[in-house]
Amino acid sequence: MDVSDIFQNLNEPQRQAVTSESKNLLVLAGAGSGKTRVIAHRVAWLIKGLGVNPHSLLTVTFTNKAASEMRGRIENIVEEEMGNFWCGTFHGISHRLLRSHWEEAGLRREFAILDSEDQFRVIKRVSKSLGLDDAKWPPRQIQWFINKQKDECRRSKDVEVGDDYFAEKMNQVYTAYEELCERESLVDFGELLLRSYMLLRHNEQILEHYQRRFQHILVDEFQDTNEVQYQFLRLLTNAGSHIMSVGDDDQSIYGWRGAKSENINRFTKDYAGTEVVKLEQNYRSTEIILSAANAVIKNNQGRMGKDLWTEQKEGEQISIYSAYNEDDEARYVVGSIQTWMSQGRNLDEVAILYRSNAQSRVLEEAILREGLPYKIYGGLRFYERAEIKNAMGYLRLVFGREDDAAFERVINIPPRGIGAKTIDVIRARALKNESSLWKAAEDLLETEGLTPRAAQSVQGFMSDFDKLEEETEDLLFKDMVDHVIQRSGLIEYHKKEAGEKGRTRVENLGELVTAAADFESPQGEEETTELKLFIDHAALDAGDTQAAEHEAAIQLMTLHSAKGLEFPLVFITGFEEGLFPHKLSIEEPGQLQEERRLCYVGMTRAMEKLFIVHAEMRNLYGTENFNPPSRFLREVPKEFINEIRPRAQTNIPYNRKDFKETKFEFEEEIGIALGQRVLHKTFGEGVVLNYEGSGESARVQINFDGAGTKWLVMAYAKLEKL
């Protein structure tokens, strides 16, 4: 049989991986090295070259899309339909097992699968039945706890809580949740994996059947496997089977959702005589981009070790732009994209990456100002996000109580014990009286049309808004928005969502305060309140639809979302300490290493041109903060860098009209130099970072040791030089 077409366009390491006779094979596939090609051609070689029956193959991917693409590639190479070839995700394969062996697995034939939201609602029901208050025992946090235990192969009886009262209570819910799911034959996503693992572990006959059947197991994205997935594979493999795992320890970035990067190292220990093949030739990026990425990732400890290289031309240096602030950052990025377009290039070749979702707001606004189409990859626009809509709901009700949509949205967020039945009663009264929901609620309170408990909760909700209006009456707009968000309880409410999701929501709420601080009322709108104008601005921004599905558009996404993608032009924004690496990761070596891997992933998304942008100051939560450049930037060798705007030249904010031409003129006028340590009677000691203005309007920016970064008017500051 002619198998020459299988080896077409394969380099030597790829060919070695495809034809390996080793029972245990680990392929370390660097970014853009053709790992999908290797898996597809390996399957084709087994079928056409070695005569292996497709029935005896199992290929595992991490997304349904990847599974579909993999099957299509294989069928194109072997030129036949694969029939009963198992190719799917861990969840898909587990579901298939449980459908075939529902009785042995202790399920009903027609068991139901719970998606994440279904699972959340069941957990809420269980918590309520146990008399737990959602405010003290957030269902989202309990959900995270349960899923984490399942990822680690633990039933509720296996969980060790020790003296941890909180964990004990959550495990109590886990126990009751297990019992309910067992009674009703409900299976959540984590259960699909855990129950399949338990099925194989406790049923020798079924295990031996699948061990005999799957003689060749191929696993993609092995660095993203969690404990239950790893143990599932361990069970399926025996002395007679072959396993090929393909992954990249340098691209393990999902530790926060249970992935264990160390599983790649475990593989070489648990599978004796493992052959390791390294795919180091990159077909995506230029030599400079790869060399810079290699230099960064080399700072991580415990790597398997590889260096990406390419036959492509050296390419352009990485452009580093030191922005004055986040607005300058956004303007520069958009301006660079317009330059790219003027050279005859397309918008769908461009990606803007950021560490935190909250960063998208300023970038979105700059793009909208220029009328350019864009898409948020794998996410929502800033003003469309649930936590932002919640906060805007509060602001809208502060402005006017007649806003029914806002009333319905926030009446029970955070939870106040106001259920659906109470809201239905209010709706019915509003319909009858042809009034707003707020007026209907007032009427029901006056006429005692609600149960005592419901009346107390509704009264508390409405009284809170009266207090909010009174408390914010004399506040500056930014401070008013900040106060409403703080007093609403939304920060604590969203903070209780475990993991990255909760943290992201809180960061987005902070960014809304920044949006309020940056907001400038349109000219000619003096008679309309700033709050109303801001509400309208947010509504219009959210109403601006994203680019059509097939329309060429700029792609905005988090660094996590960018994995597996590639673009000719890439911008990585917010390249600052505390933001990237994230402040919560800096003190923890393992998390810092994951942040560095995330940086490596971001850099290797770029095919032709890479921009890295950082801001000297960034407005966070309505306060200006001084941000040193990311440590990852210092790890990039200088020969690969082109500094578009060296930091030494950014002392003067270019977008201010009234600055002195040189720092020497300014220092001469105020008698204080940049870098000078000073003392303020209220804020204590600090260092001068920046300046602007002249005469009575002259201001200095000072980073105080204990009070953070502040702008002060020189005429009133009464600073003492130290």
Side-chain angles (χ1 to χ4, degrees):
M1 184 181 290
D2 183 18
V3 294
S4 59
D5 56 328
I6 294 175
F7 304 114
Q8 284 182 1
N9 303 317
L10 295 182
N11 61 36
E12 187 52 41
Q14 289 173 338
R15 189 173 300 178
Q16 183 186 345
V18 166
T19 60
S20 172
E21 295 179 3
S22 299
K23 282 185 174 296
N24 306 317
L25 176 64
L26 173 63
V27 180
L28 287 177
S33 64
K35 66 177 177 63
T36 306
R37 181 191 307 166
V38 164
I39 297 172
H41 283 251
R42 169 77 173 174
V43 172
W45 167 250
L46 291 172
I47 296 169
K48 292 184 72 174
L50 302 182
V52 174
N53 190 329
H55 183 78
S56 66
L57 299 174
L58 172 65
T59 301
V60 187
T61 64
F62 262 77
T63 66
N64 289 316
K65 183 182 176 186
S68 177
E69 289 175 354
M70 184 72 71
R71 179 182 283 272
R73 279 200 186 200
I74 294 166
E75 289 179 344
N76 282 337
I77 301 170
V78 301
E79 297 178 327
E80 62 181 76
E81 291 188 6
M82 294 296 288
N84 198 24
F85 164 57
W86 281 37
C87 178
T89 64
F90 278 103
H91 289 98
I93 288 161
S94 296
H95 178 243
R96 195 165 179 175
L97 276 173
L98 295 179
R99 286 291 179 206
S100 299
H101 304 284
W102 55 271
E103 194 169 11
E104 294 92 336
L107 295 167
R108 298 175 196 163
R109 181 189 291 272
E110 300 303 325
F111 65 86
I113 297 176
L114 299 174
D115 64 19
S116 183
E117 284 308 306
D118 290 334
Q119 184 195 28
F120 174 70
R121 282 191 286 272
V122 173
I123 289 170
K124 277 194 76 171
R125 179 156 49 110
V126 171
S127 294
K128 190 176 181 180
S129 72
L130 294 172
L132 298 181
D133 182 356
D134 284 0
K136 292 181 180 176
W137 307 100
R140 287 288 181 202
Q141 199 158 354
I142 297 171
Q143 183 181 27
W144 174 83
F145 174 86
I146 291 171
N147 290 338
K148 186 175 187 315
Q149 304 312 315
K150 291 189 178 189
D151 286 348
E152 293 291 330
C153 305
R154 287 193 289 263
R155 293 284 183 211
S156 61
K157 61 182 176 57
D158 305 317
V159 178
E160 295 179 6
V161 296
D163 296 327
D164 189 335
Y165 178 69
F166 198 72
E168 184 185 344
K169 276 292 180 187
M170 286 197 289
N171 200 52
Q172 186 184 343
V173 181
Y174 184 14
T175 303
Y177 172 76
E178 275 185 324
E179 291 169 355
L180 184 148
C181 289
E182 202 69 35
R183 283 195 310 272
E184 300 183 13
S185 210
L186 304 174
V187 179
D188 58 46
F189 288 155
E191 187 67 21
L192 282 171
L193 295 169
L194 181 56
R195 194 166 288 245
S196 296
Y197 166 68
M198 294 294 183
L199 171 69
L200 297 179
R201 184 179 169 187
H202 298 302
N203 195 308
E204 192 171 337
Q205 190 177 355
I206 293 175
L207 175 62
E208 287 177 356
H209 167 77
Y210 286 103
Q211 285 177 336
R212 284 195 305 272
R213 174 172 178 174
F214 296 128
Q215 292 298 296
H216 292 270
I217 299 173
L218 304 92
V219 188
D220 194 11
E221 303 287 6
F222 197 79
Q223 77 281 350
D224 294 332
T225 53
N226 61 24
E227 185 66 21
V228 70
Q229 290 163 347
Y230 186 83
Q231 295 300 340
F232 178 81
L233 292 170
R234 289 281 289 150
L235 275 177
L236 271 181
T237 50
N238 62 10
S241 57
H242 298 71
I243 182 167
M244 172 188 184
S245 63
V246 182
D248 183 4
D249 55 330
D250 289 333
Q251 295 189 74
S252 180
I253 58 175
Y254 297 119
W256 50 276
R257 66 184 192 197
K260 292 188 170 183
S261 60
E262 63 267 26
N263 282 350
I264 284 187
N265 283 305
R266 284 171 76 183
F267 186 91
T268 60
K269 296 182 178 74
D270 291 342
Y271 291 88
T274 295
E275 179 188 3
V276 179
V277 177
K278 296 181 181 180
L279 305 184
E280 297 175 298
Q281 184 175 357
N282 176 283
Y283 293 91
R284 176 188 298 156
S285 307
T286 65
E287 186 181 341
I288 282 180
I289 291 171
L290 293 181
S291 298
N294 285 334
V296 172
I297 201 63
K298 277 180 179 176
N299 291 277
N300 269 2
Q301 305 298 312
R303 297 173 60 233
M304 298 287 288
K306 63 183 179 310
D307 283 319
L308 294 182
W309 62 275
T310 181
E311 291 181 344
Q312 294 189 55
K313 60 183 181 181
E314 187 179 54
E316 293 184 49
Q317 288 178 303
I318 298 168
S319 297
I320 308 296
Y321 183 75
S322 179
Y324 172 62
N325 57 21
E326 69 273 17
D327 292 316
D328 184 15
E329 174 185 68
R331 279 192 292 266
Y332 176 74
V333 169
V334 174
S336 300
I337 293 171
Q338 289 172 320
T339 301
W340 178 265
M341 291 168 66
S342 70
Q343 296 167 353
R345 304 301 295 263
N346 298 321
L347 282 181
D348 54 7
E349 298 176 317
V350 181
I352 306 173
L353 314 182
Y354 36 79
R355 176 63 181 86
S356 168
N357 256 311
Q359 292 169 250
S360 79
R361 195 248 334 154
V362 177
L363 293 162
E364 286 183 63
E365 291 186 354
I367 294 168
L368 285 169
R369 278 197 297 272
E370 297 301 321
L372 299 174
Y374 75 97
K375 296 176 184 175
I376 303 288
Y377 184 87
L380 298 168
R381 292 187 173 202
F382 183 78
Y383 288 105
E384 293 171 344
R385 295 166 191 165
E387 61 278 15
I388 300 301
K389 285 188 170 185
N390 292 340
M392 293 305 300
Y394 272 89
L395 292 171
R396 284 159 56 185
L397 274 186
V398 168
F399 173 75
R401 306 294 198 274
E402 307 298 298
D403 192 324
D404 286 353
F407 182 94
E408 282 203 74
R409 184 170 193 93
V410 304
I411 187 171
N412 203 40
I413 295 178
R416 299 182 175 86
I418 302 173
K421 286 184 181 178
T422 301
I423 297 171
D424 284 343
V425 171
I426 297 172
R427 284 198 199 102
R429 182 60 64 96
L431 187 64
K432 180 183 175 184
N433 293 351
E434 297 183 349
S435 70
S436 68
L437 294 175
W438 186 278
K439 290 288 187 188
E442 286 181 330
D443 183 47
L444 285 165
L445 290 173
E446 288 173 7
T447 59
E448 299 183 357
L450 296 172
T451 65
R453 185 174 177 181
Q456 186 179 1
S457 298
V458 171
Q459 183 65 68
F461 167 71
M462 299 175 79
S463 298
D464 283 346
F465 275 92
D466 293 335
K467 289 176 189 171
L468 273 176
E469 189 171 27
E470 187 180 328
E471 291 166 356
T472 57
E473 194 174 6
D474 298 323
L475 293 180
L476 293 173
F477 178 59
K478 181 266 291 185
D479 296 327
M480 187 210 76
V481 173
D482 189 24
H483 185 81
V484 170
I485 291 172
Q486 295 290 342
R487 280 273 285 108
S488 67
L490 288 174
I491 289 179
E492 289 304 314
Y493 171 66
H494 288 300
K495 196 182 284 183
K496 288 171 182 175
E497 292 186 64
E500 187 84 5
K501 182 181 283 187
R503 188 173 78 188
T504 297
R505 291 197 192 281
V506 172
E507 287 175 348
N508 283 335
L509 288 172
E511 183 59 25
L512 186 62
V513 178
T514 302
D518 293 344
F519 181 68
E520 294 180 3
S521 301
Q523 292 185 349
E525 299 283 356
E526 290 79 7
E527 294 183 7
T528 308
T529 68
E530 199 166 12
L531 175 57
K532 174 58 175 162
L533 291 169
F534 183 72
I535 291 168
D536 291 347
H537 163 76
L540 290 168
D541 194 292
D544 251 326
T545 57
Q546 298 199 43
E549 188 176 346
H550 301 294
E551 183 182 2
I554 305 164
Q555 300 279 333
L556 275 71
M557 66 191 75
T558 64
L559 283 150
H560 283 99
S561 299
K563 189 171 176 292
L565 304 176
E566 58 184 38
F567 302 90
L569 174 62
V570 170
F571 298 85
I572 305 178
T573 59
F575 222 73
E576 302 134 36
E577 286 290 299
L579 192 56
F580 190 36
H582 197 280
K583 60 186 177 185
L584 298 179
S585 305
I586 290 173
E587 301 300 324
E588 173 55 51
Q591 291 183 18
L592 181 59
Q593 291 209 136
E594 183 157 316
E595 290 285 293
R596 186 174 282 109
R597 291 195 292 270
L598 191 57
C599 178
Y600 175 80
V601 166
M603 293 174 75
T604 54
R605 297 313 93 193
M607 300 166 71
E608 300 175 30
K609 180 65 183 169
L610 174 62
F611 285 81
I612 291 175
V613 192
H614 64 95
E616 293 185 1
M617 288 181 296
R618 190 171 295 274
N619 204 329
L620 293 171
Y621 312 113
T623 304
E624 288 178 326
N625 294 269
F626 175 75
N627 304 293
S630 170
R631 68 190 68 197
F632 303 149
L633 189 55
R634 299 195 294 273
E635 294 169 0
V636 179
K638 285 186 169 52
E639 61 264 29
F640 303 139
I641 288 175
N642 175 31
E643 287 203 63
I644 304 295
R645 187 174 179 225
R647 296 187 73 252
Q649 298 176 15
T650 61
N651 295 318
I652 300 171
Y654 82 95
N655 57 328
R656 308 279 183 179
K657 295 179 180 177
D658 57 346
F659 63 80
K660 288 285 181 179
E661 288 301 318
T662 71
K663 67 178 184 177
F664 305 108
E665 287 180 46
F666 193 91
E667 290 169 8
E668 199 172 286
E669 180 177 324
I670 67 170
I672 295 178
L674 288 173
Q676 172 79 55
R677 286 199 65 81
V678 293
L679 177 67
H680 186 271
K681 66 177 182 180
T682 303
F683 303 126
E685 290 187 25
V687 62
V688 179
L689 301 178
N690 218 323
Y691 52 80
E692 66 180 29
S694 60
E696 291 187 358
S697 63
R699 303 201 308 164
V700 291
Q701 186 194 37
I702 302 170
N703 186 22
F704 290 103
D705 299 343
T709 305
K710 300 186 183 297
W711 280 98
L712 302 177
V713 179
M714 282 298 300
Y716 308 110
K718 297 180 180 173
L719 298 172
E720 181 183 335
K721 289 194 287 186
L722 297 177

